[in-house]
């Protein structure tokens, strides 16, 4: 991952080669250096272009200044200035042409170089024979526009990687090291090895992954998980390096440093995803290659046509050919997909949606069905109170829960802890003791309180014929009974708590035309109850761990593209079998390593977000591809002079404007891709 080096690689060099695996036509990965170089060359060329325009015979004729600006040797001054523009301003394109030629990968730089070289060579030949029929002003303006376009483009490309840079900048450079004697000193984060104790003051960034050993506070993890609300944490809770401490002072024990940290893992995944091959990019590469050949062939054909079959002359024909080759440069086509890839991957990472497999992410747009594991995915994986029954009107629901919580506070049983968590209050207990296999009892406010199972009632011959109990039991809920002074006064039903966002997530997926299925090893009663509560389309229950992958295949056999979402070891084979495997980030390492996409927040609503992002990303790719190729259907014929009989003609400089504008449009369109927690706004 290498957060320690802070390479930031500028969108994982989304622009590199304009396609994964191709040579970078701009010659390197330092986009900031390239921006500075294009900027410098542009200003020099622009400064030379002004006198070139003033000395150009055609421009003088248009302005009626022939006699005022002409002087002996002016064409040689014009040639000299144009040579400066050609060699200095055109050098990035000439260098790129040589690189493409040696790599046998003809592309954009070849087209530009052939165009400007043809214009320069023709013009110098005209000067040599004493003719004013030159292309010097067209050459200068063409190179100026091309440099400006590339300058703007590079800035757009660099902007696509800002999110990744923000991630890398989250980790502070220094940490407050707490010594064994309690003294505190500042040390470099790079020196941390693990096991150290660090002081985190209010408002400071956490310098490494660790565990809280002292204090409590709210931590802002929004840049890492996308969760906008600060999360309250106390002793023994995990903290993520890069998160921001809130109001409290914390002491943490360093658990992970350097490449092992969560932040480093995120950056690594982002870089790998941005650099991975895209199926859509293959289409773009093929189209760009054909467009290059069309441009070269079109340029030659244009020269031959206007020279042999019209009376416009070779100079006119050459201008048309140069314009064709410039305007048809597949620059925008090469950027159409990589910029969207860089943007979408960075957006996903900063919202807690980590893409491990780019191909699977693109496949996510086709998903017809999402299969959810139940425990830990749709539910919290912990018991909570769902219903409270009152059998004695002397007591309220709150009384019954509080009495029960007071007793259960002394038990470590998951059921007991579920009652304690949901209670708003508790009272002191005397003479607490467990009733083996059946519950617990104690004295609360001078009353004998028992919290017991249905088995205790049966053993004591206490009648329970309330139909509400049968309903709760039929739903698969766990029911405990509360006795006060040996009188049955109430009952509390508990179940694995459904995540608050599960119902909304299922609804949104169904609105997207996606079938929602739950796959669980739990009994049918419990599974059906959860399914009814959140509105699932289908429930598959009582499935053994080794059967989950087979059940996924069964759903796929219906002709559906399937995503599997889970968090446990037993979900790993099913995650691997699915078309797209989505792991809950709070789950096991096995599940995470098997998945294609990881949801850091452990929220089913993020399944909606990742599918929405996948669809929007594809749409952006298609929009860019359509634009990058479609505009050529008009531009190439116009450049070739098809519309000349109607008085419409494109100069090489204007062709460069159109080509550069097309590139910038694709870059800006990629930046318009956004994500919100309810889906994607395009």
């Amino acid at each position: 991952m290498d957060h320690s080096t802070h390479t930031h690689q500028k969108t994982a060099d989304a622009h590199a080669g304009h396609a994964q695996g191709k040579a970078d036509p701009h010659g390197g990965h330092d986009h900031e250096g390239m921006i500075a170089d294009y900027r410098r060359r542009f200003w020099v060329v622009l400064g030379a272009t002004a006198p070139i325009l003033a000395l150009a015979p055609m421009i003088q004729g248009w302005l009626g200044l022939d006699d005022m600006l002409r002087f002996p040797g002016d064409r040689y001054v014009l040639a000299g200035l144009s040579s400066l523009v050609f060699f200095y301003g055109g050098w990035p394109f000439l260098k790129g042409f040589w690189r493409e030629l040696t790599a046998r990968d003809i592309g954009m730089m070849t087209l530009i170089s052939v165009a400007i070289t043809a214009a320069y060579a023709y013009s110098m030949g005209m000067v040599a024979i004493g003719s004013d029929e030159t292309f010097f002003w067209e050459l200068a303006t063409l190179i100026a526009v091309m440099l400006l376009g590339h300058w703007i483009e590079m800035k757009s490309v660099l902007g696509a990687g800002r999110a990744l840079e923000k991630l890398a900048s989250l980790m502070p450079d220094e940490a407050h090291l707490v010594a064994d004697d309690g003294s505190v000193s500042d040390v470099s984060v790079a020196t941390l090895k693990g096991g150290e104790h660090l002081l985190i003051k209010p408002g400071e960034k956490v310098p490494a992954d660790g565990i809280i050993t002292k204090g409590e506070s709210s931590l802002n993890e929004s840049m890492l998980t996308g969760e906008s609300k600060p999360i309250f944490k106390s002793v023994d809770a995990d903290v993520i390096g890069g998160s921001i401490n809130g109001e409290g002072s914390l002491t943490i024990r360093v658990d992970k440093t350097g490449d092992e940290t969560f932040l480093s893992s995120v950056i690594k995944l982002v870089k790998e995803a941005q650099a991975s091959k895209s199926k859509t990019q293959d289409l773009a590469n093929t189209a760009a290659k054909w467009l290059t050949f069309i441009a070269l062939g079109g340029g030659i054909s244009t020269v031959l046509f206007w020279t042999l079959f019209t009376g416009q002359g070779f100079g006119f024909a050459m201008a048309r050919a140069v314009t064709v080759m410039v305007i048809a440069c597949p620059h925008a086509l090469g950027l159409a997909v990589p910029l969207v890839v860089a943007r979408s991957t960075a957006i996903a990472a900063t919202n807690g949606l980590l893409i491990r497999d780019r191909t699977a992410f693109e496949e996510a747009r086709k998903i017809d069905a999402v299969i959810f594991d139940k425990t830990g995915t749709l539910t919290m994986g912990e018991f909570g109170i769902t219903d409270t029954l009152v059998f004695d009107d002397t007591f309220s629901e709150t009384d019954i829960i509080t009495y029960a919580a007071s007793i259960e506070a002394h038990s470590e049983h998951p059921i007991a802890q579920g009652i304690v968590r949901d209670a708003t209050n508790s009272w002191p207990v005397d003479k607490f003791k467990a009733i083996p296999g059946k519950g617990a009892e104690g004295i609360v406010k001078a009353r004998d309180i028992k919290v017991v199972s249905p088995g205790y009632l049966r053993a004591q011959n206490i009648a329970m014929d309330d139909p509400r109990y049968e309903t709760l039991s039929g739903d698969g809920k766990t029911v405990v009974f509360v006795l006060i002074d040996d009188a049955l006064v109430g009952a509390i039903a508990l179940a694995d708590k459904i995540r608050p966002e599960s119902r909304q997530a299922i609804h949104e997926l169904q609105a997207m035309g996606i079938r929602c299925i739950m796959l669980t090893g739990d009994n049918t009663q419990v599974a059906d109850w959860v399914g009814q509560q959140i509105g699932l389309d289908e429930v598959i229950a009582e499935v053994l761990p080794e059967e989950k992958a087979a059940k996924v295949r069964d759903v796929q056999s219906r002709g559906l593209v399937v995503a599997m979402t889970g968090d446990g070891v037993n979900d790993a084979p099913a995650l691997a079998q699915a078309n797209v495997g989505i792991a809950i980030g709070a789950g096991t390492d096995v599940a995470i390593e098997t998945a294609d996409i990881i949801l850091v927040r452990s929220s089913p609503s993020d399944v909606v977000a990742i599918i929405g992002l996948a669809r929007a990303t594809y749409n952006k790719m298609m929009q860019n591809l359509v634009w990058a190729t479609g505009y050529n259907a008009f531009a190439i014929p116009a450049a070739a002079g098809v519309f000349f009989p109607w008085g419409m003609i494109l100069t090489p400089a204007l062709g460069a404007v159109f080509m550069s504008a097309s590139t910038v449009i694709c870059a800006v369109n990629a930046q318009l891709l956004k994500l919100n927690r309810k889906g994607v706004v395009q």
Side-chain angles (χ1 to χ4, degrees):
M1 166 68 282
D2 204 3
H3 172 75
S4 61
T5 59
H6 284 211
T7 57
H8 308 334
Q9 204 178 343
K10 312 299 182 283
T11 71
D13 201 4
H15 189 59
H18 297 179
Q20 297 87 342
K22 295 188 69 168
D24 187 351
H26 298 306
H29 302 286
D30 182 13
H31 281 78
E32 288 183 334
M34 292 163 64
I35 290 172
D37 184 56
Y38 279 116
R39 181 175 62 245
R40 183 171 53 254
R41 293 179 187 274
F42 167 74
W43 288 117
V44 171
V45 169
L46 186 64
T49 299
I52 289 173
L53 289 172
L55 293 173
M58 184 178 294
I59 301 296
Q60 292 174 352
W62 289 349
L63 299 176
L65 302 175
D66 308 58
D67 298 330
M68 297 177 62
L69 299 178
R70 299 299 299 267
F71 58 87
D74 57 352
R75 65 168 59 94
Y76 299 109
V77 175
L78 184 60
L81 290 170
S82 298
S83 296
L84 169 67
V85 169
F86 175 72
F87 288 107
Y88 181 74
W91 178 246
F93 311 112
L94 298 172
K95 185 171 63 174
F97 163 63
W98 179 251
R99 188 164 48 251
E100 290 180 353
L101 190 64
T102 54
R104 298 180 180 179
D105 190 18
I106 304 302
M108 178 197 66
M109 292 302 184
T110 299
L111 291 179
I112 296 175
S113 297
V114 169
I116 64 176
T117 302
Y120 177 72
Y122 174 82
S123 298
M124 293 300 286
M126 291 297 100
V127 171
I129 64 175
S131 172
D132 289 334
E133 191 180 332
T134 61
F135 284 147
F136 286 136
W137 78 268
E138 292 97 335
L139 174 69
T141 52
L142 169 60
I143 291 177
V145 171
M146 293 296 297
L147 289 171
L148 178 62
H150 279 67
W151 176 13
I152 296 172
E153 173 209 323
M154 286 294 97
K155 292 184 69 174
S156 298
V157 171
L158 188 59
R162 293 303 185 191
L164 192 58
E165 290 187 37
K166 288 179 182 177
L167 283 177
S169 67
L170 288 178
M171 203 70 81
D173 295 323
E174 291 189 338
H176 308 306
L177 179 65
V178 181
D180 293 339
D181 61 1
S183 62
V184 179
S185 60
D186 290 345
V187 299
S188 171
V189 172
T191 63
L192 300 176
K193 305 296 183 183
E196 300 94 340
H197 285 78
L198 305 177
L199 174 65
I200 318 296
K201 299 176 182 179
E204 291 185 335
K205 293 179 180 178
V206 178
D209 292 5
I211 299 170
I212 298 175
T213 60
K214 182 180 179 181
E216 58 184 30
S217 184
S218 297
L219 285 98
N220 184 344
E221 300 176 349
S222 59
M223 274 297 294
L224 302 163
T225 68
E227 176 58 68
S228 59
K229 295 181 181 178
I231 301 172
F232 180 80
K233 295 188 178 185
S234 57
V235 175
D236 293 334
D238 294 329
V239 294
I240 302 174
S243 57
I244 301 172
N245 186 24
E247 70 284 353
S249 180
L250 298 174
T251 301
I252 69 166
R253 184 180 68 252
V254 177
D255 185 35
K256 296 177 181 178
T257 63
D259 294 351
E260 297 179 347
T261 63
F262 173 82
L263 180 60
S264 293
S265 300
V266 171
I267 297 175
K268 180 181 179 182
L269 287 174
V270 173
K271 288 181 177 179
E272 289 176 349
Q274 290 181 342
S276 62
K277 199 170 182 72
S278 166
K279 290 182 178 180
T280 311
Q281 184 62 56
D282 290 339
L283 175 63
N285 291 344
T286 302
K289 184 68 67 177
W290 278 106
L291 188 58
T292 299
F293 293 135
I294 290 171
L296 288 171
I300 295 171
S301 300
T302 299
V303 169
L304 293 175
F305 174 81
W306 286 105
T307 302
L308 299 177
F309 301 106
T310 73
Q312 293 298 323
F314 186 73
F316 181 88
M318 181 63 70
R320 302 285 67 72
V322 168
T323 308
V324 167
M325 286 185 285
V326 169
I327 208 167
C329 283
H331 207 203
L333 197 57
L335 280 173
V337 173
L339 281 179
V340 179
V341 167
R343 174 70 176 166
S344 64
T345 309
I347 286 175
T350 53
N351 283 274
L353 317 171
L354 307 184
I355 301 168
R356 295 185 70 244
D357 188 309
R358 186 79 208 175
T359 302
F361 173 67
E362 292 186 16
E363 190 77 1
R365 68 182 175 85
K366 304 176 184 176
I367 288 173
D368 303 306
V370 176
I371 299 177
F372 292 93
D373 174 52
K374 180 182 79 70
T375 306
T377 303
L378 293 174
T379 66
M380 302 289 289
E382 61 183 35
F383 281 94
I385 297 173
T386 62
D387 305 87
T388 305
L389 306 182
V390 179
F391 303 136
D392 186 340
D393 293 337
T394 306
F395 303 95
S396 67
E397 290 187 6
T398 302
D399 292 335
I400 291 169
I401 293 174
T402 304
Y403 276 119
S406 302
I407 298 295
E408 300 289 36
H410 296 263
S411 174
E412 295 298 323
H413 194 280
I415 298 293
Q417 292 304 303
I419 295 174
V420 173
R421 277 193 299 269
D422 286 353
T424 58
N425 192 18
S426 64
W427 297 310
V429 177
D430 294 322
K431 299 181 180 180
F432 172 86
K433 71 176 179 178
I435 305 174
K438 293 185 174 67
E441 65 178 320
I443 304 299
V444 179
K445 289 192 169 184
R447 293 177 177 271
D448 180 38
I449 308 298
K450 293 182 177 67
V451 184
V452 297
S453 68
Y456 179 88
L457 298 187
R458 289 192 294 270
Q460 298 297 318
N461 293 315
I462 298 174
M464 172 42 58
D465 52 6
D466 193 306
R468 293 177 296 173
Y469 165 68
E470 299 298 331
T471 301
L472 295 173
S473 183
D475 288 337
K477 297 179 181 181
T478 298
V479 183
V480 298
F481 297 91
V482 179
L483 283 74
I484 299 180
D485 296 330
D486 290 325
L488 181 60
V489 299
I492 299 172
L494 299 100
D496 189 358
K497 295 175 70 174
I498 297 173
R499 292 186 181 276
E501 64 271 27
S502 291
R503 185 178 294 103
Q504 181 64 23
I506 298 302
H507 174 75
E508 290 177 3
L509 287 171
Q510 290 168 336
M512 297 166 69
I514 296 172
R515 185 171 181 82
C516 298
I517 304 169
M518 185 172 71
L519 183 65
T520 179
D522 273 359
N523 66 66
T524 301
Q525 289 177 321
V526 172
D528 286 343
W529 177 78
V530 172
Q532 292 169 4
Q533 291 298 305
I534 61 179
L536 290 168
D537 296 299
E538 184 177 349
V539 173
I540 306 173
E542 300 181 9
V543 179
L544 297 174
E546 61 270 21
E547 297 175 339
K548 285 193 172 184
K551 293 296 182 180
V552 173
R553 279 195 297 273
D554 289 344
V555 177
Q556 289 173 320
S557 68
R558 306 177 195 173
L560 302 174
V561 178
V562 176
M564 173 70 195
T565 302
D567 72 333
V569 173
N570 59 5
D571 296 322
L575 291 170
Q577 173 62 42
N579 301 90
V580 181
I582 303 174
I584 294 295
T588 67
D589 291 340
V590 175
I592 290 172
E593 287 300 317
T594 311
D596 304 305
I597 296 167
I598 302 163
L599 307 181
V600 176
R601 290 202 311 156
S602 302
S603 171
S605 64
D606 282 352
V607 177
V608 182
I610 197 67
I611 295 175
L613 182 61
R615 291 182 176 184
T617 298
Y618 179 78
N619 290 339
K620 286 296 180 188
M621 288 180 178
M622 290 298 103
Q623 290 167 12
N624 277 2
L625 288 177
V626 168
W627 170 255
T629 55
Y631 96 101
N632 284 291
F634 169 80
I636 292 177
V642 170
F643 304 110
F644 177 69
W646 295 274
M648 182 179 177
I649 192 165
L650 293 178
T651 65
L654 191 56
V657 169
F658 278 121
M659 191 278 285
S660 298
S662 177
T663 301
V664 172
I665 287 171
C666 286
V668 171
N669 189 46
Q671 294 300 305
L672 294 177
L673 182 65
K674 299 184 184 297
L675 174 72
N676 62 40
R677 281 299 175 184
K678 292 186 177 181
V680 176
V681 179
Q682 301 179 53

